Amino acid sequence: MTLLEVKDADVVYGRVHALRELSFTVGEGEIVCLLGNNGAGKSTTMNMLSGLVRPRSGSVTWQGMDLTTAKPWDIVAAGLIHVPEGRRIFSTMTVHENLLLGGYTVRDQKAIATRLDEVYGMMPRLAERRGQQGGTLSGGEQQMVAIGRALIGGPKLLLLDEPSMGLAPLVVKQVMEIVASVNAAGTTVLLVEQNARAALKIADRAYVVETGSATLEGPAADLAKDPRIIEAYLGG
Amino acid sequence: MARDLDHALKHVPLRAPAPLYERPQPPKGVFSSQRGFMRALGLVAVLLVAVLPFMDASRYTMSIATSALIYVMLCMGLNVVVGYAGLLDLGYIAFFAVGAYISGIFTTVLGWPMWAALIATIVACITAGIIIGAPTLRLRSDYLAIVTLGFGEIIRITANNLKITGGPSGIHGIPTWSFGPWGFDDGFNLFGIDFPERVVFYYFVAAVVIVVGVIGAGRLAKGRLGRAWKAVRDDEDAAEAMGINTYIAKISAYIIGAVWAGMAGQLMATHLSAISPNSFQFLYSALILMAVVLGGMGSTPGVIIGALFVSLAPELLRDFAEWRYLIFGVLLVVVMLFRPSGLWPATAVLPWLRRTRPTPPAFTEATAVPASVMESVDGTPTTEAHEGDRA
Amino acid sequence: MMQLIWNGLIVGSFYALVALGYSMVYGIIKLLNFAHGDIYMLGAFVGFFTLSAFGISNETSIPLLLVVLLLSMVTTGLIGVGIERIAYRPLRRSPRLAVLITAIGVSFTLEYGVRQIFGPNPEAFPIRLESSGFDVLGMRVTASQIVLVVIAAVLMLVLAHIVERTRQGRAMRAIALDPTGAQLMGVNVDRVIAMVFFIGSALAGAAGVMAGAYYGSIDFLMGFIIGLKAFTAAVIGGIGNLYGAMLGGVLLGMLESFGSAWFGGEWRDVFAFGFLILFLTLKPTGLLGARVVERM
Amino acid sequence: MSALLEVRDLRLQFGGVTAVDGLSFEVREGEILAVIGPNGAGKTSAFNCISGFYLPTAGSVVFDGKAIVRAVPAIWRRLGLVNLLQSFGFYRVLPSRVTKWGMARTFQNLRLFRELSVLENVTTAMHANLREGFWSTLLHTPGYRRAEAACVREARGWLDFVGFEDDEQLYVTQLPYGEQRRVEIARALATSPKLLLLDEPAAGLNFNEKQTLMRLIRKIRGLGVAVVLIEHDMGLVMELAERIVVLNYGKEIADGAPEDVKRNPAVIEAYLGVYESEDAS
Amino acid sequence: GCSSGLTGGGSEDAADGPIKIGMLAPFSGSESAFGEYMQNGAQLAVNEINADGGVLGRDLELLVEDDACDATTAVSGANKLVTDGIVASVGGYCSGATLPTLPIFDEAGIPMVIPAANSNELVDQGLPGVFLINGTGDQQAEAAVTYAKQIGATNVAVVDDATSYSADLAGAFTEQATAAGLDVAVSETITPGENDYSAVATTLATEQPALVYWTGYYQEGGLIARQAQDAGFDGVFLVADGSVDAKFAEIAGEGYTENVVGTFTQTPDMIEGADQWIADYEELAGDPPGPYSTQAYDAVRVMAQAIEDAGDTEFDNVVAGLEGLKDFDTFAGPLTFTDTHTLSGGGFVIVSIDPATGAFVLKDDLQG
Ligand SMILES: Nc1ncnc2c1ncn2[C@@H]1O[C@H](COP(=O)(O)OP(=O)(O)OP(=O)(O)O)[C@@H](O)[C@H]1O
Ligand SMILES: Nc1ncnc2c1ncn2[C@@H]1O[C@H](COP(=O)(O)OP(=O)(O)OP(=O)(O)O)[C@@H](O)[C@H]1O
Ligand SMILES: CC(C)C[C@H](N)C(=O)O
Ligand SMILES: [Mg+2]
Ligand SMILES: [Mg+2]
């Protein structure tokens, strides 16, 4: 079943036309990956989905509901949670408080508590640092907080923007495993990754975004073999 | 010829290879380059200042024009501190006060001639800049703001309480500038035209000092020191990493701001012939800051416009008497709402010189959004991210 | 000596109440809200206006005072929200100092707007607090002073609890750190900021009414100096930190009290500011301000 | 040949957290050294100590024969005034000083001057090398004009060197990420360093850009500048580095040639996992 | 009259139009309450004189400018008045703002009758065209000392608000009181514009002087009177003319005004038969007169008389006219200028607060 549908979306920043008639869909339970060069419009797509930027035209439909002009907080409440590029950790709040904020829209205190336990179980490093200020964490630790924080919100669709940026190889693997397991537990994932190889490994489907439009689409396994993809994103 | 330039750089172990190609030089000409146009504009402004007395030499006009020019000087100084170096100063009027009082005291109590008092003023302002700056410039901006505010109040209250400063009624009878025989107390004659008033003479004196002051501040901002200021404003840590001693950069901005304010203070003291602590209240610090921000921080034309606005608006609104501060307040809000980065921002590009940035080409040579750009997407959702069209 | 401390505490409570709003607003949108002191003034005038409209004058009733207090708090709270909506929100993405200037503009507007309505003369506040005192521990204390300090303390503690411990408080701090990030957590930024303005303005309004009733006279510029003092107090305490704002307010009150006793009233502010400068030089983050370590 | 940079027993604590724990290593003139290690191992912290931004709790750093970390007399420690004194600039070497001595760095998160143009960003870095006085600036003397011209010429030289071909008048925020990285490197080079510290220069770059970056780093070494880089991209590290230092929990767990480090079991366990060559690129 | 071109301003009189007289007063800022009182007082005089046929057969016209009690604003205001062609000035409230206007009016050949500002420095410069019709600080201090002696106070206190008028007066009082053998036990300064004066109040309560002289304005005066009594001070609270206003009692509150007295020049409500004047004033202004309404009124009349006597508006003649005035009838009594252009007596009396209305009423004319 189609969970999310983006249709002919156009986003313009001043004079930069970042998205041009971008269309794609995400089905329930999928991991969909967006590939593309720097500046192709991947982050813009994510920002549009979470309501930080508004498309000039086109539409975003979520479970039959129109989200094109919804406010970010309503979108979060609807279950789309965005782990942004650059992580956006609240620097003077502790790791624990950061995680709690992830549950801002969740009314059910018990649910928050169980999810907290899960997150701390999944990323023991965070349990170790729960009282440390977010801003003093290392880059990798921050990335874990960002992902953990999103999970506490109980996302239906998790939007991940370059989660492996700045992570050690071992952690990249872990993160990908986490994503896969979260997905296995029923959360749909839209993933943007520079590390195409790792991303395609866990994704079901992928889109190639070029200058703001989706130019290529297919099952992840097929794309990983596509010579055009190999040359441009995987490197020989 | 390139090697002729070598001794302009200190001896450095690592030199860049010569540029691979000469980059296209920016066009010259009044309308086809920003720089040329600004110069032409500056010249026009200077001309306007020079011919003003020939159009209206009434005491009132001359007097408010002189005050306005002095404000310009003051704002240029504050612009160095706030606009270039990014240090929020809420007590800037203190340096103005130091200048005014030092020149007042030296000329009246000690009977020094004005030019000698000028030297004393500059020395005093440098000292004041160091005294207040040295211990406090390590503070982050809001703390610095309150410290400077406190300093401003300390100076004012001290002036109010001391005997030498004349207490609350201040100092009066400050003599006008004179150059040897030319004091023009009884008016003067220029090109066969009679200027009956001392105010006109004094207007010219002030105008000359201020034109020099404006050009000087502008030049400093473009050179090595100015780059250091702006670097410190943008990112202090990165500036340190570039070999800029941020502390020295900040304190130099402070000292220069202090000297400019001190000179303005001296001009004001002579212009009014009397000064009192009332003129150095916090409100005036706020007004000058307002002029700088309203005009456009770090932008010479902006700051001039802002200074003229803030000094002249209450005058032009004189006829509204009690209403004028109300109108002034509303006006401020409205102007800022419509021009949030000031009337003439530092980053302004003349409309006809604006170039469009080509949209990023596909695939191989794609451009990227820096994560930092996202910083500007904030608050309410919008389709237009700010300053995207600076080019 | 004890008397000096007590005197300092009274003034300090007023500073603290106003400083609290200052600090909250600053904390969340990094705005030095110069109009905040004028909200305090507005609070006093709202009280004055309602009471005069009902023809009340020279009352001493405390219940009546509480009613007026509540009314003024709601009114100033709403005015605060309105000001934010009109003059500050559109500039949220603009350079910080731009908002500072509109705040000054708003301040002028409020001051001279009130002047046009109520005239430039000070007005006598219609409710007067009973001010006969008794002596304890060598200080002269009045019942109304105790009421005052208690009300102030309660208001402040409730507020601090909200901000430090609750979900909404966490949202406020998150907005302060990164508004975009907060939105991504589902925080309705507009609403939370409006709420902060409401609370901060209501507190200032409360302080205004209490000052009117306690001191007896109000005028259109009464907010100016206390605004500056509150700002100072907020900074001493570590700006953005609410307990700090309270502590800063009380400390400033004490400093002034001792300053005038030791050096004479004319040097009081020199002493207070001098102390402040010295203190900040040695402890650059204020009393309770967190040292923010920035990562490279 | 003697070491250009010598780090001995460097220790950095934040409250209870020990970010760097007795780290020692050295950098020789003109070499490319990579520092790797898990997230939070203390790589960036070590950089910050070396370049003067953080004041380490203990240890010594000597660069080009000059001590960067200064010993504080015990009495101040006992009085608890160390921090205060250091915040006033006593007993410490400011980063700007370190830069003047010939060490340049980039930051993990780009730290360009956002309100300055590309050219200005680079000319700003010439600060220490420029002969421009106060009066000559005010009066626009010929000396000043020459210095400005030299400064611009030099800056353009560096921009060309790093392969920046776009419009130098653009604000840096208008540039693609990869270009910004390049400008940051050009800016660091313009300080005329003997040693360049790069903190994750390849993060966020795509495949092609990484290739270009590698070429650039080699070119820099070719100028005789030693390069120390922190990087998580193993492909890049293995191809580029002549020597690798591996950190874990603030301690050095390996130091050696890439081939050896790659096979070091401790490194594999702490950092690489089962090293999969395909993950690198 | 917007004079343009090179010849500039100057004070050429249009010779047939109305005679323009100017007034600088505070209309904005913290002292702005007084501007309107002064303007209305002056306007009333102008209206009356014009109704009587004007001066030298010409009407008077009053031009008012704001000085905001601030030097810069005052200077441009003065220059504006000069440019607008006034021939005489009847303004000046704050000494600090009036001082820098003196050379401007002097150069432009404009005589000044200053209604309110009364710092000695105004006349100390010896400018020929400057006349004060408010009693000077010295004179007022003398009245205060006389009163203190009269009630048998031996130790006294003085509190000022750090403005020039207040500090001057406090200084003069201290000097004269010491010379008269009184002990000035406390001398305090407060910051105007605040609410809490408990520091001063506490000092007064501990030192318990028999009399305290408050030399500032009523805004703070009322608060200090109240807070001092709350703190336990029970001596006489003597206030200077800046505090003599019905608002004082309102601010101090009921029960805090019994021991409050003031030094003041006479005002209409203290003079028999001045009811008509007050009624006229209220008709013009819509509000009852306030501090310095009478002085401003008198300033205009004095100036008008001098011009009438001079026969024209030439500076020297008008100054001569002013110097030649003999026992000219004003609210403060018959007026003759001294050599230093101040009032001979000052005409200060002691006033106290009428508990019924809260207004200040004559208590003692100090003649006995
Ligand atoms: N706030 C902004 N203002 C102006 N232009 C912007 C802004 N944000 C993005 N852009 C432009 O929009 C285009 C798409 O950017 P986007 O961030 O979506 O790319 P991306 O695919 O996420 O790249 P990357 O891999 O570098 O993260 C780029 O050309 C960028 O320059
Ligand atoms: N100011 C600080 N206060 C407390 N702890 C800190 C501070 N700065 C760094 N740390 C801690 O020190 C450790 C080392 O951090 P550092 O940034 O040096 O790691 P790193 O090796 O650069 O990691 P990454 O590869 O993720 O960037 C981390 O655990 C971090 O949480
Ligand atoms: C009482 C007032 C008329 C005194 C006036 N403010 C002055 O400065 O002289
Ligand atoms: Mg992106
Ligand atoms: Mg790091």
Side-chain angles (χ1 to χ4, degrees), chain A residues 83-236:
Chain A
V83 178
E85 198 171 39
R87 302 158 194 152
R88 296 197 172 274
I89 298 297
F90 300 109
S91 58
T92 58
M93 294 167 93
T94 62
V95 168
H96 193 70
E97 283 179 315
N98 265 287
L99 294 178
L100 282 179
L101 258 171
Y104 180 80
T105 52
V106 182
R107 293 277 159 196
D108 180 359
Q109 289 305 311
K110 261 204 225 98
I112 294 184
T114 24
R115 284 184 205 149
L116 267 175
D117 286 344
E118 277 171 29
V119 167
Y120 280 135
M122 221 173 337
M123 299 179 254
R125 180 107 194 176
L126 296 188
E128 229 174 84
R129 298 295 165 96
R130 58 191 289 161
Q132 187 175 335
Q133 290 196 349
T136 64
L137 295 172
S138 83
E141 293 161 343
Q142 290 190 352
Q143 187 67 54
M144 295 183 210
V145 174
I147 296 174
R149 197 171 60 175
L151 294 180
I152 308 272
K156 294 197 185 103
L157 173 62
L158 185 61
L159 307 166
L160 289 171
D161 198 348
E162 302 209 21
S164 75
M165 164 118 112
L167 297 190
L170 203 57
V171 186
V172 175
K173 258 174 80 181
Q174 280 170 13
V175 166
M176 290 304 159
E177 279 161 23
I178 292 173
V179 172
S181 73
V182 166
N183 175 252
T187 305
T188 311
V189 177
L190 179 61
L191 176 67
V192 166
E193 250 307 337
Q194 210 56 266
N195 188 339
R197 199 179 291 271
L200 287 178
K201 233 182 243 170
I202 60 167
D204 298 309
R205 278 189 314 123
Y207 289 84
V208 174
V209 182
E210 285 176 37
T211 55
S213 332
T215 50
L216 209 60
E217 188 247 310
D222 295 357
L223 285 186
K225 289 186 206 103
D226 189 312
R228 289 172 294 176
I229 302 287
I230 292 176
E231 200 214 330
Y233 299 106
L234 305 176

Side-chain angles (χ1 to χ4, degrees), chain B residues 82 135 139 142-143 146-147 150 154 157 161 282 289-290 293 297 322-323 325-326 329-330 336 340 377-379, chain C residues 26 93-94 96-98 101-102 104-105 109 112 115-116 179-180 183 232 235 239 266-267 269 273 280-281 284-285:
Chain B
V82 179
L139 299 173
D142 316 299
Y143 293 96
I146 189 75
V147 164
I154 288 178
I157 298 169
N161 290 341
F282 166 70
L289 180 66
M290 193 185 288
V293 178
M297 283 186 288
E322 303 96 277
W323 290 92
Y325 274 100
L326 184 55
V330 174
M336 279 335 277
V377 182
D378 165 356
Chain C
Y26 180 85
R93 296 187 301 135
S94 310
R96 258 184 68 196
L97 286 181
I101 300 307
T102 55
I104 297 178
T109 310
Y112 286 87
R115 183 192 187 280
Q116 285 317 105
T180 309
Q183 290 187 36
T232 312
V235 172
I239 192 155
E266 66 270 46
W267 295 106
D269 285 356
F273 280 119
L280 283 181
T281 309
T285 49

Side-chain angles (χ1 to χ4, degrees), chain E residues 30-275:
Chain E
S30 52
E31 314 296 319
S32 63
F34 297 95
E36 275 162 47
Y37 290 137
M38 288 172 61
Q39 178 179 10
N40 291 327
Q43 191 62 51
L44 183 59
V46 167
N47 292 354
E48 285 178 5
I49 291 168
N50 287 347
D52 271 2
V55 176
L56 303 176
R58 293 159 61 188
D59 273 354
L60 286 184
E61 186 186 337
L62 182 69
L63 304 182
V64 180
E65 288 298 337
D66 183 15
D67 68 13
C69 212
D70 156 64
T72 321
T73 318
V75 164
S76 61
N79 277 311
K80 182 152 200 287
L81 289 175
V82 172
T83 304
D84 288 348
I86 61 162
V87 298
S89 157
V90 294
Y93 174 82
C94 290
S95 302
T98 309
L99 274 167
T101 66
L102 301 184
I104 295 171
F105 288 129
D106 180 57
E107 266 173 47
I110 292 171
M112 306 170 72
V113 172
I114 300 173
N118 54 0
S119 167
N120 287 324
E121 300 198 34
L122 291 167
V123 284
D124 283 351
Q125 297 182 60
L127 294 175
V130 180
F131 294 80
L132 301 189
I133 62 165
N134 192 8
T136 60
D138 286 339
Q139 293 162 343
Q140 184 163 198
E142 193 184 324
V145 172
T146 311
Y147 181 72
K149 286 210 298 216
Q150 195 174 311
I151 62 166
T154 52
N155 67 331
V156 295
V158 59
V159 181
D160 70 78
D161 70 1
T163 63
S164 59
Y165 145 74
S166 178
D168 267 10
L169 182 52
F173 177 77
T174 311
E175 209 169 283
Q176 297 187 23
T178 319
L182 302 181
D183 175 20
V184 183
V186 179
S187 160
E188 281 283 343
T189 302
I190 57 105
T191 310
E194 298 185 343
N195 275 329
D196 197 290
Y197 297 112
S198 48
V200 169
T202 308
T203 316
L204 291 178
T206 12
E207 300 286 330
Q208 287 295 355
L211 173 145
V212 55
Y213 193 28
W214 159 245
T215 61
Y217 299 93
Y218 64 91
Q219 289 96 319
E220 291 83 23
L223 294 172
I224 294 174
R226 182 187 178 95
Q227 289 170 23
Q229 290 176 56
D230 275 346
F233 169 73
D234 46 24
V236 173
F237 199 86
L238 179 65
V239 303
D241 57 347
S243 282
V244 175
D245 185 278
K247 285 269 182 211
F248 186 98
E250 256 185 76
I251 292 170
E254 236 175 297
Y256 288 89
T257 55
E258 281 106 66
N259 58 354
V260 175
V261 287
T263 48
F264 200 52
T265 48
Q266 294 198 2
T267 58
D269 43 3
M270 298 167 195
I271 295 170
E272 308 264 334
D275 296 348

